[in-house]
Structure formats: structure tokens, C-alpha cells
Amino acid sequence: AIQLTQSPSSLSASVGDRVTITCRASQGIRDDLGWYQRKPGQAPKLLIYAASSLQSGVPSRFSGSGSGTDFTLTISSLQPEDFATYYCLQDFNYPRTFGPGTTVDMK
Amino acid sequence: EVQLVESGGGWVQPGGSLRLSCAASGFTLSSYWMTWLRQAPGMGLEWVANIFRDGSEIHYLDSVKGRFTISRDNAKNSLYLQMNSLRAEDTAVYYCARDLDIATESGYYDAFDIWGRGTTVTVSS
């Protein structure tokens, strides 16, 4: 199974900060990667699919980039509602696998 | 309102069985791939299984192959997960999710846009 690693595992940031989260795949996965946001007690929310395509209704401060093995999720200006855990998910092959998550908390 | 509601979770001894259900409303289930995922206590998200629109294609996580069976009844707008020979490591909150299976020039992409709130499965003696 393809392994995904995320860095950092957690970060502290302030409202207005630019935040970057990295996801690395154990083998090339083209652009078959999505990003999800998870808040406590809530279902995960789809942010990005196909590495860089923004899901409808997701604020434009979220963006994704990358292909092959290295991917990035960027929040251009962190908002109070963005404090959450972020997961990458590969859909290049089966079984689908998630990264371990990156928690963004308040500095 | 578009939503998914899971049910059927509970406590079961190792080796036991449970059948999870996922009721869809607000959309036509037959138009979508559907997926089961789970999150064990203190762990991250884990993909478990998925099923094509008409049930003709199914995929499983290796650790559940031969023990879990995903199925669907489009007429009832419902998704199921039959779980047999349960192990302690199957303890988790189980979620069903709708997959938009987005088509682009480059191919098809998973996109889990609707998730249920989850149902808890505890396997313990």
C-alpha cells in the first residue's frame, strides 16, 4: 500500500498567517491526491481533489499543488474557522490511504 | 437536505458480527460510488471499502478482505457493511461517504463530499 507522510504533524499559527502543509507519497501518484479538513465532532470536509482542484464552496484561501510524490496544501491567510486537522488522501490505487494528519492550532 | 446516516454500531465480542447500514437522503444513491471509512481511537482516518454505482465493482482494505462485505440496495437508498470475525483492531467509528468520482481530462478522482456522522463499533471481551 502507498504510504503518505505529512509534515509537520502539528503547527501553531495565528489568524492571518500563511500556512503550508506537505504530504509525501512513498511512490509516484500523479495528481491523485485530495485534502480534507477535520474538526472535532464533525465529519471530514473535502477541500481539494486532483491535487489542486478546489471543491465547490471551499474558500479560495485554500490551494493545493504538487504531483508525483510531493504535494502541498496552503492556506493563504488563516482564519479562525481553519483551526483543525488536515489529512491528505491518495486515490492513485487501492487501498486508498490517508496521511497521518496535521493539526493546526492557535499560537 | 443531502445527508447520510449510519446505524448498526455497538459492542461485540471478538469473533462476532455486526451489520452497519447507511441511509442516504436528498440524492439518488445509484448515481454514486459509495465508501466506508473508519477512525480508530487516537488514530487517523482509514479507508475500508468502496462499491460502484450498481455494485459491479468492489474494493477492500487488505485487513478486512474475507471478513467484511460491502453491499448496496439502490432501491432502498441504502449502503451496508457486513462485518464478520471482528477483531479488537476493528474498533472504530465507521463512516459512510459519497464519492463524486470526478471526471476530468486527466481521469477520475475520488472526492468524498458527503459524510455521515458515524457509528461506533467496539470489539472487546
Side-chain angles (χ1 to χ4, degrees), chain B residues 34-55:
Chain B
M34 294 297 295
T35 298
W36 284 99
L37 308 101
R38 66 186 180 185
Q39 185 165 27
M43 304 292 283
L45 292 165
E46 184 172 51
W47 177 94
V48 175
N50 70 352
I51 184 168
F52 187 58
R53 301 181 185 99
D54 63 0

Side-chain angles (χ1 to χ4, degrees), chain B residues 62-119:
Chain B
D62 283 351
S63 62
V64 309
K65 276 181 189 173
R67 300 188 300 121
F68 289 12
T69 302
I70 188 172
S71 63
R72 63 194 298 159
D73 186 335
N74 289 334
K76 295 183 177 179
N77 245 24
S78 292
L79 175 73
Y80 305 101
L81 187 67
Q82 177 66 44
M83 304 187 297
N84 299 329
S85 303
L86 282 161
R87 305 167 179 167
E89 54 265 36
D90 296 319
T91 294
V93 178
Y94 284 74
Y95 301 91
C96 60
R98 184 177 83 170
D99 183 359
L100 293 177
D101 192 33
I102 296 173
T104 72
E105 294 176 349
S106 305
Y108 290 86
Y109 297 92
D110 287 359
F112 305 133
D113 71 323
I114 303 295
W115 297 61
R117 298 184 69 86
T119 186

Side-chain angles (χ1 to χ4, degrees), chain B residues 12-30:
Chain B
V12 63
Q13 292 186 327
S17 298
L18 280 175
R19 188 192 194 212
L20 306 185
S21 298
C22 171
S25 58
F27 68 98
T28 302
L29 191 74
S30 60

Side-chain angles (χ1 to χ4, degrees), chain A residues 6 34-36 38 85-89 98-101, chain B residues 39 44-45:
Chain A
Q6 288 183 234
W35 289 96
Y36 292 79
R38 184 86 188 274
T85 299
Y86 294 84
Y87 295 92
C88 54
L89 167 68
F98 284 90
Chain B
Q39 185 165 27
L45 292 165

Side-chain angles (χ1 to χ4, degrees), chain A residues 2 4 10 17 26 36 45 48-49 63 65 69 78-79 102:
Chain A
I2 293 173
L4 299 179
S10 65
D17 284 353
S26 59
Y36 292 79
K45 176 183 177 182
I48 302 282
Y49 63 91
S63 64
S65 65
T69 59
L78 194 69
Q79 297 302 300
T102 295

